[in-house]
Amino acid sequence: MIRIRLLLAATALPALSGCVVAPVSVSSPTSTPRALTAPATVDGVPAGMQYLYGSGESAAISLQMWRGLTDYVARQVRARPRDSVVLAPGATLAVPRYQACGAKPFAAVFDVDETVVLNLGFERDAVGGRPYEEARWKAYERTGGTTARAVPGAVAGVRALRAMGVAVIFNTNRSTDNAAATQAMIERLGLGPAVPGDTLYLADAATGSRKDSRRAAIAARYCVVAMGGDQLGDFSDLFNRGQTPAERRAATEAPAIAARWGAGWFVLPNPVYGSALKGRLDEVFPADSAWTPEP
């Protein structure tokens, strides 16, 4: 998961009026945090957090995703696919090609944060609009695991996958320095085993937030039949190479990639932070979408 923090908030307006949604804090480990304004909230909590961490709708989507994923994997295991769902070296989003399966054992690959784990402690501490700080996140990695919760459906999902003979592998941008704490957190939540270098892949100085090389290493060992994440970078680094929001969205909708969603690639909602939360008004809303009510 790309650690670009954007706390999504909504301004509550009178009944029957619209709702204005805007990112209220932006920072990253490689840039200077920008000046912040007080976050607009609903009942004191940013709306994105209300949705992801508190709503029944978010829980329902998570349960739905995990059911769809395990059903899909069961069909793939029976069929023994020729190709995995990991893009091969040299593939593009316009012309995707995938790593061959051969006789390799099956695996499913998942991001960790906001994919199998909800970071309640870290996000609760950020409710007041605190900008993302790398040191604070690393401290949470080390000591905040007891405040995390499993994503609805994740524990049953990973157990079902293992019962099919599918290895469950975690590919996260958490730090190798805190590998033991991350392993303990995953296993405490009933999602393990998670063994660093085997079923738990972490970020290091060489890969940073890029995951393609880790995915390639996993696909060299396994026939990867499904991947799950909350950011497009959990499926391919190609989504994060200098594209505008409109270009990124178009890439996900193009026929070659559109066929992959729900059929090997499975996305969970995350309106709280990450690479999805960007775009000026004219990037989010095209010119022909403008509407003004009659007086």
Side-chain angles (χ1 to χ4, degrees):
M1 175 175 58
I2 299 172
R3 285 276 153 197
I4 302 175
R5 309 300 304 181
L6 295 101
L7 304 182
L8 184 69
T11 301
L13 298 178
L16 304 181
S17 67
C19 182
V20 178
V21 180
V24 297
S25 74
V26 182
S27 64
S28 77
T30 58
S31 64
T32 302
R34 303 178 187 179
L36 302 177
T37 57
T41 64
V42 179
D43 295 330
V45 181
M49 290 188 184
Q50 287 180 320
Y51 187 90
L52 183 58
Y53 302 115
S55 78
E57 288 84 353
S58 176
I61 291 174
S62 297
L63 291 164
Q64 175 178 275
M65 190 286 289
W66 281 100
R67 179 182 295 276
L69 185 148
T70 52
D71 288 349
Y72 174 83
V73 169
R75 295 192 298 272
Q76 295 301 103
V77 168
R78 290 193 297 269
R80 169 54 74 174
R82 182 186 65 183
D83 293 330
S84 78
V85 299
V86 176
L87 289 174
T92 67
L93 297 178
V95 185
R97 293 181 298 101
Y98 298 91
Q99 299 270 32
C101 277
K104 290 178 282 192
F106 295 117
V109 179
F110 300 99
D111 174 51
V112 171
D113 299 303
E114 278 58 59
T115 297
V116 297
V117 168
L118 295 175
N119 293 296
L120 298 186
F122 185 82
E123 301 302 342
R124 178 170 179 159
D125 185 56
V127 163
R130 180 198 298 265
Y132 174 73
E133 298 167 347
E134 181 73 359
R136 179 169 156 269
W137 171 251
K138 292 294 179 62
Y140 176 78
E141 285 187 5
R142 291 191 301 272
T143 65
T146 57
T147 69
R149 300 290 184 271
V151 165
V155 172
V158 299
R159 288 176 179 172
L161 293 172
R162 292 187 179 112
M164 298 178 208
V166 177
V168 174
I169 300 176
F170 304 102
N171 185 9
T172 174
N173 282 337
R174 287 180 174 234
S175 170
T176 54
D177 294 340
N178 298 322
T182 295
Q183 177 180 0
M185 180 268 297
I186 292 171
E187 295 182 350
R188 180 186 67 80
L189 292 174
L191 296 161
V195 180
D198 182 20
T199 54
L200 175 61
Y201 285 70
L202 300 123
D204 56 28
T207 63
S209 63
R210 300 181 303 278
K211 292 187 172 183
D212 277 352
S213 61
R214 291 177 246 155
R215 278 185 284 263
I218 296 166
R221 299 171 55 202
Y222 292 96
C223 172
V224 179
V225 289
M227 294 193 292
D230 65 307
Q231 312 283 330
L232 294 182
D234 294 326
F235 306 93
S236 173
D237 292 341
L238 293 173
F239 286 110
N240 295 326
R241 292 186 179 175
Q243 293 176 311
T244 67
E247 290 168 339
R248 206 162 174 263
R249 187 177 178 106
T252 69
E253 295 180 352
I257 292 298
R260 193 84 270 176
W261 306 116
W265 292 2
F266 295 82
V267 185
L268 280 158
N270 185 353
V272 176
Y273 64 83
S275 55
L277 303 186
K278 58 185 177 182
R280 300 182 306 273
L281 181 68
D282 60 346
E283 292 176 315
V284 175
F285 297 99
D288 61 3
S289 68
W291 172 77
T292 302
E294 295 180 1

